[in-house]
Amino acid sequence: MADAAPPSKSRDLDKLLLRPGNLVGPTFDPGVQLRDDLQEYARVLVVGAGGLGCELLKDLALSGFKNLEVIDMDRIEVTNLNRQFLFRLEDVGKPKAEVAAKRVMERVSGVNIVPHFCRIEDKDIEFYNDFNIIALGLDSIEARSYINAVACSFLEYDSDDNPREETMKPMVDGGTEGFKGHARVIVPGVTPCFECTIWLFPPQVKFPLCTLAETPRNAAHCIEYAHLIKWDEVHSGQAFDPDNPDHMKWVYDEAVKRAELFGIPGVTYSLTQGVVKNIIPAIASTNAIISAACTLETLKIASGCSKTLSNYLTYNGVEGLHTKVTEFVKDKDCLVCGPGVLIELDTAVTLKKFIDMLEEDPKVLMTKASITYHGKNLYMQAPPVLEEMTRSNLELPLYDLMDKTPKDVLHATGTINKDDKKSSGLRKLRVVFKGIDGVTDMDMAGGA
């Protein structure tokens, strides 16, 4: 029998948390203690403070989560104001994460939101391990892939290659595309991770270079000409960074010149961002619907008040309204959420040699790798102060740096080269040293 509860401001939330039910999770224990524990101990990280991220912060705060953090690297632009409702005209130019956190705390009493104005790659892996759940409100496949790899890196397997429940880092991922959207639950080791279902995301539209160079017919062609052709001509050897405002402004200016030359209207700064980053305009109502679904799933995971989504919800509001839930299956050979990529080494292999090997390994293909072991930095490519501090480890045997452990897991963070495309990524590596007592033939067999 649920214990009696004093009146609460969260009346509707209490109906879920204070009463038993028939569709609850196996660990659900209704009562005031559950509600209080949820507010005091549950920590949720919201990744992204754009259209969907603003909705997520608001919904989570109103759903009883008092300890929230948000990370976003962007600043507020005028074009954000039509759908990112936490921002005002006077906020233009300010960091999204900081303003969003401030606005929600002003409206929802008792909630504490810590903003982080930086790239997701700027935080070390252990930062993400401090949270019970990670909620994603991103518009980038690359960013989703990175956070997915980080969350899956915490997953550990037992000797029978079964995932250990206490090491699972649940994620709730939302995404919108105009009047369409999705919400999904990712429990590493149980449900498919992002990489298992990467095929769900269509490839980015690419224009023939001859069209861009000779016969542009629309504004997008002019933008891609400046982005793909003109940039390399002028900035030989310098990589284009889509997150650098100066780089984006240069592409916009060149695209305007190109459009004027061919009499093509429609080149705007927001369109330039959309074409270069493959961003599809967001609709406020779609963001609200998908955020509500994601918040409910976050509450289910944290409290057990109901069974979670299994495991991918799609929403289509183009003509009428259609929703559907599909249960996708985990890829047992996934390189990200599986036990890890197996790498066999001699005990004499140095850390530098190991890093070089990652560039050639067909399952890793990682350059400029930083290596961590049980939270300890063995070698860091950046920032310069950490690189200098860990540089001396490069010439030491990896076996010694791993405390002469016959087999264990390392984490490598760097640039992954896949299908002629470079992106930041993280890989879990199962290192086995050959010729050491305790290493069986089974350890040496198989791959991921």
Side-chain angles (χ1 to χ4, degrees):
M1 186 73 180
D3 45 329
S8 168
K9 291 186 297 182
S10 53
R11 180 189 61 188
D12 296 324
L13 183 63
D14 289 349
K15 292 179 180 179
L16 292 174
L17 301 182
L18 306 188
R19 305 187 303 185
N22 296 320
L23 299 176
V24 300
T27 61
F28 182 59
D29 183 16
V32 177
Q33 188 65 46
L34 173 62
R35 185 190 68 197
D36 293 344
D37 286 348
L38 183 73
Q39 295 178 352
E40 185 173 355
Y41 299 114
R43 300 190 65 209
V44 180
L45 173 66
V46 176
V47 185
L52 185 56
C54 284
E55 291 281 354
L56 280 170
L57 275 179
K58 177 260 295 179
D59 288 348
L60 289 167
L62 291 173
S63 298
F65 293 96
K66 300 298 185 185
N67 300 300
L68 302 172
E69 299 194 25
V70 57
I71 182 170
D72 195 296
M73 62 173 290
D74 290 336
R75 294 181 181 273
I76 298 165
E77 299 176 4
V78 173
T79 55
N80 300 147
L81 302 181
N82 70 325
R83 61 193 182 279
Q84 297 176 19
F85 67 97
L86 294 177
F87 307 142
R88 306 289 181 267
L89 187 60
E90 62 267 22
D91 298 324
V92 171
K94 298 177 183 177
K96 287 184 177 181
E98 295 177 4
V99 176
K102 176 175 175 286
R103 286 277 150 71
V104 173
M105 286 191 290
E106 287 174 349
R107 298 296 297 271
V108 184
S109 61
V111 66
N112 181 51
I113 304 176
V114 179
H116 302 274
F117 173 49
C118 62
R119 296 164 57 94
I120 54 177
E121 297 91 345
D122 291 343
K123 296 293 186 181
D124 59 35
I125 299 174
E126 288 306 310
F127 166 79
Y128 296 97
N129 200 23
D130 287 338
F131 300 95
N132 302 105
I133 304 169
I134 299 175
L136 307 182
L138 295 165
D139 59 6
S140 162
I141 293 176
E142 290 77 13
R144 279 192 179 93
S145 185
Y146 181 83
I147 294 294
N148 176 76
V150 169
C152 291
S153 72
F154 303 124
L155 181 64
E156 297 178 5
Y157 286 77
D158 61 22
S159 57
D160 296 322
D161 275 355
N162 296 314
R164 294 171 52 194
E165 185 176 355
E166 66 271 18
T167 65
M168 297 176 184
K169 183 72 63 180
M171 290 177 288
V172 179
D173 173 47
T176 64
E177 240 181 43
F179 288 101
K180 300 177 182 179
H182 78 264
R184 68 187 298 185
V185 172
I186 299 176
V187 182
V190 177
T191 68
C193 77
F194 181 78
E195 207 68 28
C196 291
T197 54
I198 192 70
W199 48 269
L200 286 170
F201 293 84
Q204 184 174 351
V205 176
K206 295 183 178 179
F207 302 107
L209 288 179
C210 57
T211 298
L212 303 182
E214 299 173 10
T215 55
R217 294 187 294 275
N218 55 45
H221 289 168
C222 299
I223 293 167
E224 285 290 52
Y225 170 82
H227 171 216
L228 299 176
I229 298 176
K230 194 68 176 179
W231 176 272
D232 287 337
E233 290 179 358
V234 177
H235 305 87
S236 180
Q238 182 182 2
F240 175 79
D241 182 359
D243 295 318
N244 187 318
D246 293 333
H247 290 195
M248 190 65 72
K249 180 65 164 56
W250 187 92
V251 169
Y252 165 67
D253 291 339
E254 291 298 318
V256 169
K257 296 176 185 177
R258 181 78 169 171
E260 291 176 348
L261 181 64
F262 285 88
I264 297 173
V267 175
T268 64
Y269 186 76
S270 60
L271 179 64
T272 302
Q273 289 181 302
V275 171
V276 172
K277 293 186 174 185
N278 194 31
I279 296 174
I280 295 174
I283 306 296
S285 58
T286 310
N287 286 335
I289 292 168
I290 295 303
S291 173
C294 290
T295 301
L296 182 57
E297 294 308 316
T298 304
L299 181 63
K300 290 180 187 178
I301 294 171
S303 67
C305 66
S306 180
K307 296 178 181 177
T308 57
L309 182 74
S310 296
N311 43 48
Y312 194 100
L313 178 144
T314 54
Y315 163 82
N316 190 334
V318 176
E319 295 182 4
L321 188 152
H322 179 262
T323 61
K324 179 183 179 181
V325 175
T326 304
E327 185 171 5
F328 290 109
V329 179
K330 177 180 178 293
D331 180 1
K332 62 182 178 64
D333 296 321
C334 179
L335 297 178
V336 177
C337 67
V341 179
L342 179 64
I343 298 180
E344 302 172 22
L345 298 173
D346 293 319
T347 55
V349 172
T350 64
L351 178 57
K352 184 178 186 304
K353 175 64 175 175
F354 175 70
I355 292 174
D356 292 340
M357 291 170 63
L358 299 183
E359 297 185 22
E360 306 298 329
D361 191 302
K363 291 186 176 181
V364 184
L365 298 176
M366 179 181 289
T367 59
K368 298 181 179 179
S370 297
I371 309 296
T372 59
Y373 175 61
H374 290 187
K376 176 184 176 183
N377 296 326
L378 299 188
Y379 179 69
M380 302 298 290
Q381 297 278 352
V385 62
L386 278 182
E387 194 283 330
E388 184 177 354
M389 288 172 61
T390 56
R391 189 184 305 159
S392 59
N393 288 338
L394 289 173
E395 303 305 324
L396 298 177
L398 183 60
Y399 182 58
D400 293 346
L401 292 171
M402 293 175 62
D403 302 321
K404 298 187 177 181
T405 306
K407 54 179 180 177
D408 213 336
V409 174
L410 292 174
H411 293 109
T413 308
T415 302
I416 295 176
N417 303 291
K418 186 178 181 181
D419 300 327
D420 296 325
K421 188 175 182 180
K422 295 183 178 181
S423 62
S424 298
L426 185 148
R427 287 289 182 263
K428 181 165 49 179
L429 310 174
R430 298 166 62 195
V431 176
V432 176
F433 292 101
K434 295 182 283 188
I436 303 297
D437 291 340
V439 177
T440 65
D441 292 338
M442 186 63 69
D443 294 322
M444 308 292 283

